Amino acid sequence: MVPHLVTALTGPINELEQRILDSMPAIERWFRLEWMEHTPPFYSSVDIRNAGFKLAPVDTNLFPGGWNNLTPQMLPLAVQSAMAAIEKICPEAKNLLLIPENHTRNTFYLSNVAQLQRIFNMAGLNVRIGSINPEVKEPTEIQLPTGEKVLLEPVIRSKRRLGLKDFDPCTILLNNDLSAGAPGILEDLHEQYLLPPLHAGWSVRRKSNHFRAYEELSKRFGKLLGIDPWLINPMFNKCGEVDFASGTGLDCLQTNVDALLTKVRRKYKEYGINEKPFVIVKADNGTYGMGIMTVRDVKDLEALNRKSKNKMGVIKDGQTVHDVIIQEGVLTNERMNEGVAEPVVYMMDRYVVGGFYRVHAERGTDENLNAPGSSFVPLAFAESSHLPQVGMRGGAAVPNRFYMYGVIARLAMVAASYELEATDPDAEIYE
Amino acid sequence: MVPHLVTALTGPINELEQRILDSMPAIERWFRLEWMEHTPPFYSSVDIRNAGFKLAPVDTNLFPGGWNNLTPQMLPLAVQSAMAAIEKICPEAKNLLLIPENHTRNTFYLSNVAQLQRIFNMAGLNVRIGSINPEVKEPTEIQLPTGEKVLLEPVIRSKRRLGLKDFDPCTILLNNDLSAGAPGILEDLHEQYLLPPLHAGWSVRRKSNHFRAYEELSKRFGKLLGIDPWLINPMFNKCGEVDFASGTGLDCLQTNVDALLTKVRRKYKEYGINEKPFVIVKADNGTYGMGIMTVRDVKDLEALNRKSKNKMGVIKDGQTVHDVIIQEGVLTNERMNEGVAEPVVYMMDRYVVGGFYRVHAERGTDENLNAPGSSFVPLAFAESSHLPQVGMRGGAAVPNRFYMYGVIARLAMVAASYELEATDPDAEIYE
């Protein structure tokens, strides 16, 4: 079950959605059984694309920012989930150290940090914020436009533990995706819980690992629902050793883009879909919406200009792109305030706690919306007093469209769990 | 953490409440540690009285009805908690059999049954309703004023299992408090999960056991907060062998009423409280607001007329009263729509999921409100975008007054957990 939120799409329910709503008890049980065997990521957010004819996750973030976009009404769910997460991992916890990203001047990001501090404080922890930015040399209070204040304190590393002055946390929550690699200061902390683990950072993660795990899950889940897994799975290929600057590896990229476009075209034909297929070329370890390109025709790749090549070649924290994932593009047919929109679903532990729309007025339905100029529209709880019940149709009952998004987001979360198990340096504990 | 709900009281926060808000992380951790050692009741509701100077639970229900009084906005929390409860007890569950009270014509109660069916359905279970009322001989569909329908089906007992025609549940959820004792049909069901257990029924439970456990907890909790436990604990005495009809045992009652009134008077003097002390005399195993009497002076007991004696002597399902609890009366200084009000807090597993006010326009601040003529006002989520933060005072922040109610309700829930352990017929498993 996920919150009953008002979504932008209000048209008739398509077959996929009806299938998902009708299978609710089976789906929930499926998730319950998965979580008996696997550990959910501590928290996560999933970008989802709803093309009408297909619905798929396109990115799964294991260090989600943007918690400040959730409405106050969603906070109790977030707090309850945070309590559940803490209870399982470290019930005796008193102090939690939150480690944010290093950009200390982005007040929008810092509002997210303040929101996380609030959530875990309400879950019953003393929360302080420890910066690993070497520029933060003393406690620095930052006033946010919302009236809130955030106090960044420099972390102090002892031989075995990380903390702040007069603050020894038993749990460390990372909200820093470690794109540039885990700093030494975070390594060998065997006495403290580090959440998520270091190998969830982008210096280790690969989108292709994630979507490979998701693909396998979508097959099993498709069998459960009796649907073609393609309806929920974005196909992908990958290329290693690509260097956009020198042109090395671009032949691999062309071959794979061409092959994937052909596969998508075949699927569109099978389902009688009159849309132009496209693929998204992304850095396999990219984040923050950097290093992403929409390709509608393999010829587009030949015509890449210097600017585009530079943009593709370098991502967050100045990391160079080598591995590239070519992902089937999924159109979004959601719109909000005249802008193209995609839902982002937030989860804590195994629970969906809320979501919002990422909206971009100047982007097309086949483009990445995680780019400068995007805005966020929180989803509200539905006002209707009639919630959907299996077996109830029509009448006053408003379908919980968000349920479907929550299901797909959780499927991506299970994939992330598999992915983290497979890349765990201490993997033997899972056998 | 509990939902941030709008409460009737909006005056300045008193010292007790401020202490509770300031101690939030320590309180939440205290509960976390309790739940490491003890199992929360499957679900519960707690009636709370806020006298301004003291705040105490006055009744804890382990088969709560009235779930229909929760707002749709609270449903996600209820469903999330239901998922957590099911996951812990029987994650592989598919089918859940809900056993309601036997009064099949009370559509208000049946709306509660429909709501429970919805909650557990959204948590991912196939839910059907099995009546143990011998009058229900075939599937009976009842149309509710809300437009909903409830299908009551006669239960079928095999040698080892209970179910319905073509429905074999692995879990049975009781919403019937078994005042008349557990029927044989519910006994020896060793292959199925029966929730709550039979000894949570009123044929076994005693309010005095519950409040004895609560008293012990209030001492420990008082130490944690640095407060006099009396501020959260209703004192009590008990008398056995009382027969209102014949007058047997009324001397014990008088002695204990007098003694308790004296104790309360002393406490009021200590705190400079200018209110008239009173006690509540209740059946020790009573429920449904039956067998309850407010006593302001021991002379009131001598003047008991026949009608009052009859009312006190017989409670739900025609059970005769023998054991009586004399509980310190706690004034309520909450009012809603001109009526005297008391908050009722709903919990599922260890989580507070919402609450409402029980309001009675014709009762006084020192009387039982659970009586014909009472109505229910759901609490709404607070609209304020500023939630309280430890260390933040005044300004735009609206305090979450409901937090305090949730803390006291959860303390009563822990007491219920201790009580159930102490009365468990298979108690050796707890050692």
Side-chain angles (χ1 to χ4, degrees):
Chain A
M1 154 67 181
V2 297
H4 190 58
L5 302 177
V6 180
T7 49
L9 273 188
T10 53
I13 290 180
N14 66 29
E15 203 193 315
L16 172 62
E17 182 162 12
Q18 192 61 58
R19 194 73 66 99
I20 288 178
L21 286 175
D22 289 347
S23 308
M24 188 163 61
I27 290 171
E28 296 303 326
R29 182 167 184 268
W30 189 91
F31 280 117
R32 275 203 300 278
L33 297 177
E34 283 297 313
W35 297 133
M36 286 178 76
E37 304 286 330
H38 305 282
T39 304
F42 188 79
Y43 55 6
S44 53
S45 71
V46 177
D47 297 353
I48 289 187
R49 291 280 194 140
N50 184 354
F53 56 87
K54 96 176 264 176
L55 178 78
V58 296
D59 199 17
T60 301
N61 192 341
L62 299 182
F63 300 89
W67 289 92
N68 50 317
N69 292 315
L70 299 184
T71 64
Q73 283 74 18
M74 293 170 191
L75 261 196
L77 279 173
V79 173
Q80 189 169 302
S81 309
M83 289 171 80
I86 292 290
E87 263 159 28
K88 260 190 325 192
I89 299 166
C90 43
E92 72 292 349
K94 270 185 188 172
N95 295 339
L96 181 123
L97 179 67
L98 176 60
I99 297 190
E101 294 283 346
N102 287 350
H103 28 64
T104 53
R105 278 168 203 89
N106 180 340
T107 55
F108 187 79
Y109 174 73
L110 290 174
S111 291
N112 159 67
V113 172
Q115 177 84 318
L116 281 171
Q117 183 171 28
R118 181 180 295 121
I119 290 170
F120 286 94
N121 181 242
M122 295 182 94
L125 294 164
N126 302 308
V127 185
R128 281 164 69 176
I129 303 160
S131 178
I132 55 171
N133 184 341
E135 288 171 27
V136 176
K137 293 191 169 57
E138 53 189 35
T140 309
E141 192 174 79
I142 299 167
Q143 179 84 42
L144 304 182
T146 54
E148 296 163 296
K149 284 173 189 159
V150 168
L151 180 66
L152 299 178
E153 299 179 74
V155 293
I156 297 170
R157 172 69 196 243
S158 67
K159 191 164 183 323
R160 306 169 65 88
R161 298 176 74 90
L162 189 70
L164 304 176
K165 189 158 183 283
D166 306 322
F167 189 75
D168 183 29
C170 51
T171 310
I172 299 165
L173 178 61
L174 285 173
N175 195 246
N176 181 316
D177 65 24
L178 309 176
S179 286
I185 204 168
L186 292 178
E187 288 178 339
D188 302 315
L189 291 170
H190 300 303
E191 286 178 359
Q192 292 168 303
Y193 294 97
L194 186 61
L195 306 166
L198 290 181
H199 68 282
W202 276 119
S203 57
V204 177
R205 270 193 89 193
R206 293 293 175 269
K207 288 183 198 297
S208 51
N209 287 339
H210 178 70
F211 284 102
R212 195 174 303 115
Y214 182 84
E215 187 164 75
E216 285 311 308
L217 281 164
S218 71
K219 284 179 193 161
R220 284 175 46 210
F221 200 75
K223 207 172 268 179
L224 176 79
L225 293 185
I227 58 161
D228 177 354
W230 178 72
L231 296 175
I232 55 172
N233 179 45
M235 299 185 291
F236 74 97
N237 289 327
K238 61 171 279 193
C239 287
E241 305 296 329
V242 174
D243 182 339
F244 283 94
S246 70
T248 318
L250 289 187
D251 49 338
C252 168
L253 197 57
Q254 287 177 355
T255 310
N256 277 292
V257 164
D258 201 38
L260 190 57
L261 281 171
T262 304
K263 277 171 84 177
V264 178
R265 209 167 287 126
R266 211 175 294 142
K267 274 293 181 187
Y268 277 19
K269 203 173 161 193
E270 181 186 335
Y271 284 92
I273 294 158
N274 284 319
E275 301 283 355
K276 192 172 166 56
F278 65 103
V279 298
I280 304 287
V281 176
K282 309 193 242 198
D284 205 11
N285 60 340
T287 179
Y288 266 62
M290 296 171 83
I292 300 189
M293 176 168 67
T294 298
V295 181
R296 299 173 189 84
D297 193 302
V298 73
K299 288 195 201 95
D300 298 355
L301 287 176
E302 291 163 20
L304 269 190
N305 59 26
R306 176 175 302 272
K307 195 180 152 203
S308 304
K309 283 181 180 170
N310 285 346
K311 257 175 105 170
M312 283 302 293
V314 180
I315 50 171
K316 181 168 175 265
D317 295 341
Q319 298 302 299
T320 318
V321 173
H322 296 293
D323 296 329
V324 163
I325 178 171
I326 304 115
Q327 190 178 48
E328 174 189 353
V330 182
L331 289 166
T332 177
N333 67 355
E334 301 226 43
R335 298 193 149 262
M336 272 241 156
N337 313 329
E338 310 287 302
V340 173
E342 66 187 10
V344 186
V345 177
Y346 275 68
M347 292 169 292
M348 181 90 73
D349 194 79
R350 68 195 70 182
Y351 304 106
V352 172
V353 299
F356 56 77
Y357 278 109
R358 182 183 288 123
V359 185
H360 205 304
E362 283 136 42
R363 292 272 172 135
T365 55
D366 61 356
E367 286 182 299
N368 169 38
L369 305 184
N370 189 359
S374 68
S375 60
F376 304 96
V377 180
L379 288 161
F381 278 107
E383 288 298 317
S384 162
S385 62
H386 290 271
L387 286 162
Q389 263 190 290
V390 168
M392 273 178 87
R393 297 282 167 78
V398 177
N400 186 357
R401 176 142 271 152
F402 191 72
Y403 178 72
M404 182 174 63
Y405 297 159
V407 168
I408 297 302
R410 284 184 289 166
L411 204 56
M413 171 164 61
V414 179
S417 158
Y418 281 50
E419 176 201 349
L420 290 179
E421 286 174 15
T423 56
D424 189 342
D426 311 313
E428 64 278 13
I429 62 165
Y430 291 109
E431 285 310 309
Chain B
M1 154 66 184
V2 299
H4 189 59
L5 302 177
V6 180
T7 50
L9 275 188
T10 52
I13 290 180
N14 65 30
E15 201 191 315
L16 172 62
E17 181 162 11
Q18 192 62 57
R19 193 73 66 100
I20 288 178
L21 286 175
D22 289 347
S23 310
M24 189 163 62
I27 290 172
E28 296 303 327
R29 180 166 184 268
W30 189 90
F31 280 117
R32 275 202 301 277
L33 297 177
E34 282 299 313
W35 298 134
M36 284 178 78
E37 304 287 330
H38 306 282
T39 304
F42 189 79
Y43 54 6
S44 53
S45 71
V46 177
D47 296 353
I48 288 187
R49 291 278 194 142
N50 184 354
F53 56 86
K54 94 177 263 177
L55 178 78
V58 295
D59 199 18
T60 301
N61 192 342
L62 298 183
F63 300 89
W67 288 93
N68 49 317
N69 291 316
L70 298 185
T71 63
Q73 282 72 19
M74 294 169 190
L75 261 197
L77 278 173
V79 172
Q80 188 170 303
S81 308
M83 288 171 81
I86 291 290
E87 265 160 25
K88 260 191 323 193
I89 299 165
C90 43
E92 72 293 349
K94 269 185 188 173
N95 295 340
L96 181 122
L97 180 66
L98 176 59
I99 297 189
E101 294 284 347
N102 287 350
H103 28 65
T104 54
R105 279 169 204 88
N106 180 340
T107 55
F108 186 79
Y109 175 73
L110 291 174
S111 291
N112 159 67
V113 172
Q115 177 84 319
L116 280 171
Q117 184 172 30
R118 181 181 296 121
I119 289 170
F120 285 95
N121 182 243
M122 294 181 94
L125 294 163
N126 302 308
V127 184
R128 281 163 69 176
I129 303 161
S131 178
I132 55 171
N133 183 342
E135 288 172 27
V136 176
K137 293 192 170 60
E138 53 189 36
T140 308
E141 191 174 79
I142 298 167
Q143 179 84 41
L144 303 183
T146 52
E148 296 164 296
K149 285 174 187 161
V150 168
L151 181 65
L152 299 177
E153 300 180 72
V155 293
I156 297 169
R157 172 70 196 243
S158 68
K159 190 162 185 320
R160 306 168 64 87
R161 298 176 74 89
L162 188 72
L164 304 176
K165 188 156 184 283
D166 307 323
F167 188 74
D168 184 29
C170 50
T171 310
I172 299 166
L173 178 61
L174 285 173
N175 196 244
N176 182 316
D177 64 25
L178 309 175
S179 285
I185 204 169
L186 292 179
E187 288 177 339
D188 303 314
L189 290 170
H190 300 301
E191 287 179 358
Q192 292 168 304
Y193 295 97
L194 186 61
L195 305 166
L198 289 181
H199 68 283
W202 276 118
S203 57
V204 177
R205 271 193 90 192
R206 293 293 174 270
K207 287 184 199 297
S208 50
N209 287 339
H210 177 70
F211 284 101
R212 196 174 303 115
Y214 183 83
E215 189 164 74
E216 285 310 309
L217 281 164
S218 71
K219 285 179 194 161
R220 283 175 46 210
F221 199 75
K223 206 170 272 177
L224 176 78
L225 293 186
I227 57 162
D228 177 354
W230 177 72
L231 295 175
I232 54 171
N233 179 44
M235 298 184 293
F236 74 97
N237 288 328
K238 59 170 282 189
C239 287
E241 305 296 329
V242 175
D243 183 339
F244 284 94
S246 70
T248 319
L250 288 188
D251 49 339
C252 168
L253 199 56
Q254 286 176 357
T255 310
N256 278 293
V257 164
D258 202 35
L260 191 56
L261 281 171
T262 305
K263 277 171 83 177
V264 177
R265 209 167 287 123
R266 210 174 296 141
K267 273 293 181 185
Y268 278 20
K269 205 175 161 194
E270 179 185 338
Y271 285 92
I273 294 159
N274 284 319
E275 300 282 356
K276 192 174 165 53
F278 65 102
V279 299
I280 304 286
V281 176
K282 311 193 243 198
D284 205 12
N285 60 341
T287 178
Y288 266 63
M290 296 170 84
I292 299 188
M293 177 167 66
T294 298
V295 182
R296 298 174 188 85
D297 193 302
V298 73
K299 290 196 201 96
D300 299 354
L301 286 176
E302 291 162 20
L304 267 191
N305 59 26
R306 176 175 302 275
K307 196 179 152 205
S308 303
K309 285 181 178 169
N310 285 346
K311 258 175 106 170
M312 281 305 292
V314 180
I315 49 171
K316 182 169 177 261
D317 296 342
Q319 300 300 300
T320 318
V321 173
H322 296 292
D323 296 328
V324 163
I325 177 172
I326 303 116
Q327 190 177 49
E328 173 190 355
V330 182
L331 290 165
T332 176
N333 68 352
E334 300 226 44
R335 298 191 148 263
M336 270 243 156
N337 313 328
E338 311 286 303
V340 174
E342 66 187 10
V344 186
V345 177
Y346 276 68
M347 291 168 291
M348 181 90 74
D349 194 80
R350 68 195 68 182
Y351 304 106
V352 172
V353 299
F356 55 78
Y357 279 111
R358 182 184 287 123
V359 184
H360 205 303
E362 283 136 41
R363 293 273 172 134
T365 55
D366 60 356
E367 287 183 298
N368 168 39
L369 305 184
N370 189 359
S374 69
S375 60
F376 304 95
V377 180
L379 288 161
F381 278 106
E383 288 298 316
S384 162
S385 61
H386 290 269
L387 287 162
Q389 263 191 290
V390 168
M392 273 180 88
R393 297 281 168 79
V398 177
N400 186 358
R401 177 141 269 152
F402 191 73
Y403 178 72
M404 182 174 62
Y405 296 159
V407 168
I408 298 303
R410 284 184 289 165
L411 203 55
M413 171 163 63
V414 179
S417 158
Y418 280 50
E419 177 200 349
L420 290 179
E421 285 174 16
T423 56
D424 189 342
D426 310 315
E428 64 276 13
I429 63 167
Y430 290 109
E431 287 310 310

